Amino acid sequence: MTALLSATNLQKTYRLGRVDVPVLRGVSLDVRAGEFIAIVGASGSGKSTLLHLLGGLDRPDRGTGGDVTFDGRSLGSLSAAGIDRYRSRSVGFVFQFYHLLPELTVLQNVAIAAMIRLGRVGYLRQRGVVTARAEELLGLVGLSHRLRHRPAELSGGERQRVAIARALMNDPPLLLADEPTGNLDRASGLGILEALVTQRGQTGRTIVLVTHDAEVAARADRTVRLVDGRLSGA
Ligand SMILES: Nc1ncnc2c1ncn2[C@@H]1O[C@H](COP(=O)(O)OP(=O)(O)OP(=O)(O)O)[C@@H](O)[C@H]1O
Ligand SMILES: [Mg+2]
């Protein structure tokens, strides 16, 4: 099996004052291109931590903390600029707590992902295409009627759907989603998931998704569980 994304013996310890809090104690995972994997586990088991390491948003422990490779390249060997490129071109990330920019409208919050990837000049040149794509994605998540709202004027579930649209903006080969349907009612959550899975069929996108919901996990090709800082099949 050739893996698109691999985690090898990942270790992550947070330091709180003088106390070390080990969260990941040797996590290994191989994800094939096009695969849809669900990560489950108790609250506080380290699911978000793991997703952040996979997405290059944080680094494993120095020294023996293991490594993440994407498409054969080790993230540990990349420069800061290389990591930025990985994050903007290869990964779409749906944060557990959305991280939308409060001053921007819904449409701008989605389009900004393209602005970061294209740079200011590139963005200005392709503005029409970018806006059309952002509108299309916001339609996909059922928010066409909220384009000019700001995040504070949205419900939790609506914010979550903006975050999903933003993560898809650059058509990333890898989607990392942290509880993307956690704030949605059952029908909307499954609707969004269906849209992600259908899209994935068209584009071959690889999905790693954290969820507490057994029904959501059941749609994945494979489920893994984080227990005591390690992964097991679930
Ligand atoms: N920046 C940090 N500093 C110290 N400890 C942290 C930090 N971030 C997370 N932790 C601790 O690491 C553990 C794992 O956190 P993480 O957010 O990865 O869990 P999770 O599985 O995503 O939980 P949930 O299901 O509640 O979202 C928790 O015990 C948390 O308190
Ligand atoms: Mg979490």
Side-chain angles (χ1 to χ4, degrees), residues 135-183:
E135 287 180 357
E136 180 197 336
L137 288 167
L138 284 161
L140 181 79
V141 297
L143 283 180
S144 296
H145 59 312
R146 291 285 182 267
L147 300 184
R148 302 214 147 52
H149 280 55
R150 287 176 211 279
E153 298 154 354
L154 299 176
S155 73
E158 287 172 339
R159 288 177 208 182
Q160 189 152 44
R161 288 183 277 155
V162 177
I164 291 169
R166 180 181 58 187
L168 297 174
M169 183 66 211
N170 289 331
D171 208 4
L174 175 64
L175 179 68
L176 301 175
D178 199 348
E179 294 274 6
T181 59
N183 244 309

Side-chain angles (χ1 to χ4, degrees), residues 47-48 96 178-179 210:
K47 303 180 299 297
S48 295
Q96 186 169 11
D178 199 348
E179 294 274 6
V210 168

Side-chain angles (χ1 to χ4, degrees), residues 17-232:
R18 290 196 192 155
V19 183
D20 280 344
V21 184
V23 176
L24 304 180
R25 304 164 184 256
V27 167
S28 296
L29 178 68
D30 283 325
V31 187
R32 270 184 289 113
E35 201 175 14
F36 173 10
I37 293 205
I39 300 178
V40 300
S43 176
S45 60
K47 303 180 299 297
S48 295
T49 301
L50 173 58
L51 220 58
H52 290 168
L53 296 187
L54 295 178
L57 296 160
D58 199 357
R59 289 177 181 271
D61 292 345
R62 281 170 191 280
T64 57
D67 198 10
V68 173
T69 59
F70 178 81
D71 209 6
R73 199 164 320 144
S74 143
L75 298 193
S77 70
L78 295 180
S79 63
I83 288 279
D84 285 348
R85 260 197 307 279
Y86 169 65
R87 284 168 48 177
S88 70
R89 297 193 186 160
S90 302
V91 179
F93 203 102
V94 183
F95 290 92
Q96 186 169 11
F97 303 109
Y98 328 131
H99 292 311
L100 301 177
L101 295 168
E103 325 78 55
L104 301 187
T105 65
V106 162
L107 189 63
Q108 289 165 338
N109 262 286
V110 175
I112 198 164
M115 206 186 296
I116 291 168
R117 177 173 54 90
L118 297 167
R120 196 174 161 68
V121 175
Y123 166 73
L124 288 175
R125 257 191 224 128
Q126 296 187 49
R127 204 170 176 170
V129 180
V130 168
T131 303
R133 165 121 181 115
E135 287 180 357
E136 180 197 336
L137 288 167
L138 284 161
L140 181 79
V141 297
L143 283 180
S144 296
H145 59 312
R146 291 285 182 267
L147 300 184
R148 302 214 147 52
H149 280 55
R150 287 176 211 279
E153 298 154 354
L154 299 176
S155 73
E158 287 172 339
R159 288 177 208 182
Q160 189 152 44
R161 288 183 277 155
V162 177
I164 291 169
R166 180 181 58 187
L168 297 174
M169 183 66 211
N170 289 331
D171 208 4
L174 175 64
L175 179 68
L176 301 175
D178 199 348
E179 294 274 6
T181 59
N183 244 309
L184 302 177
D185 61 273
R186 189 174 162 279
S188 317
L190 290 175
I192 294 277
L193 187 70
E194 214 49 59
L196 290 180
V197 169
T198 309
Q199 261 230 339
R200 158 187 172 247
Q202 291 156 2
T203 61
R205 178 174 298 125
T206 306
I207 304 177
V208 181
L209 181 150
V210 168
T211 185
H212 279 115
D213 184 334
E215 215 170 342
V216 171
R219 297 287 284 120
D221 300 320
R222 183 154 64 99
T223 299
V224 292
R225 181 177 296 276
L226 252 182
V227 184
D228 295 332
R230 294 199 178 82
L231 278 185
S232 59

